[in-house]
Amino acid sequence: MSQMCGIGPFVTILLMVAAFGGPQAVIGFLAGALLALADGLIWAELGASMPGSGGSYVYLKQAFQYRSGRLMPFLFVWTAMLFIPLIMSTGVVGFVQYLGYLAPGLGQGAGDLLGLGVIALVVLLLWRGIEHIAKITAVMWVVMIASVALVIIAAATHFDAGLAFTYPAGAFEFTSGTFWIGFAGGLTIGIYDYLGYNMAL
């Protein structure tokens, strides 16, 4: 849950609306949820048929054991070494962006330094025994649940039907290329927002 509910939805809502060009952007979130659900069911089947730790590494090793041996799982680990820090960096970017709302005078340089400080703090927190990390994760989970609850409350108390249901002309023209370009961009953002669903299975 902590990995699924990251910074993604909080910083990509504007990007999703821009991709679709209006409040019909909710289609991107719904389509992303359906795609994540379909892929999540596959992950659930894999986890049930091959229980154990390792996730993708184990599945790739089993799938390609007669073709490329350990090459595919090895390549997966190397790509994970690249994309996991990139995913973490988006969380730091989101943190600094939201901090900018609380401290409007925060400049680019100060924001960058704070981001580097957060990264150093995360590394220090992870440089501990697994029992300590479990406790830290529980605390961060509570913070995440509180954040999501506060966002829901803020959205419900400041709801504006005029903004939510006023669609631009041609918003649902499925025969136009504009809709599908927006849909492709929105689906990409939606899948990013749901990243981590495979870790929850």
Side-chain angles (χ1 to χ4, degrees):
M1 285 180 68
S2 296
Q3 186 167 349
M4 277 191 71
C5 297
I7 196 69
F10 301 111
V11 297
T12 59
I13 292 172
L14 292 176
L15 298 175
M16 185 74 82
V17 172
F20 274 89
Q24 70 274 20
V26 72
I27 295 172
F29 289 111
L30 295 174
L34 287 174
L35 188 57
L37 175 63
D39 193 33
L41 291 172
I42 294 169
W43 276 84
E45 285 288 331
L46 287 169
S49 63
M50 289 179 273
S53 61
S56 298
Y57 180 86
V58 173
Y59 308 148
L60 289 169
K61 187 176 179 183
Q62 183 69 24
F64 292 97
Q65 62 180 328
Y66 302 114
R67 296 179 189 168
S68 59
R70 297 182 179 175
L71 177 63
M72 292 304 288
F74 172 79
L75 291 175
F76 169 77
V77 171
W78 272 101
T79 58
M81 291 175 65
L82 295 174
F83 72 75
I84 290 174
L86 291 175
I87 292 172
M88 177 191 165
S89 69
T90 61
V92 174
V93 168
F95 173 79
V96 173
Q97 281 181 357
Y98 268 80
L99 198 58
Y101 292 112
L102 299 174
L106 187 69
Q108 179 74 32
D112 291 344
L113 288 175
L114 278 170
L116 290 172
V118 169
I119 291 171
L121 177 63
V122 169
V123 170
L124 286 174
L125 290 174
L126 290 174
W127 207 313
R128 297 170 177 271
I130 193 70
E131 64 279 353
H132 294 105
I133 292 175
K135 293 176 184 175
I136 293 168
T137 303
V139 171
M140 296 305 289
W141 178 81
V142 171
V143 171
M144 180 268 300
I145 291 293
S147 300
V148 170
L150 288 172
V151 168
I152 291 170
I153 291 168
T157 55
H158 294 81
F159 181 72
D160 186 341
L163 290 175
F165 300 113
T166 302
Y167 302 106
F172 298 103
E173 286 185 11
F174 301 121
T175 56
S176 73
T178 306
F179 174 84
W180 293 109
I181 290 172
F183 181 81
L187 185 58
T188 304
I189 296 166
I191 284 297
Y192 164 76
D193 289 342
Y194 291 112
L195 277 180
Y197 63 85
N198 53 336
M199 300 299 176
L201 299 170

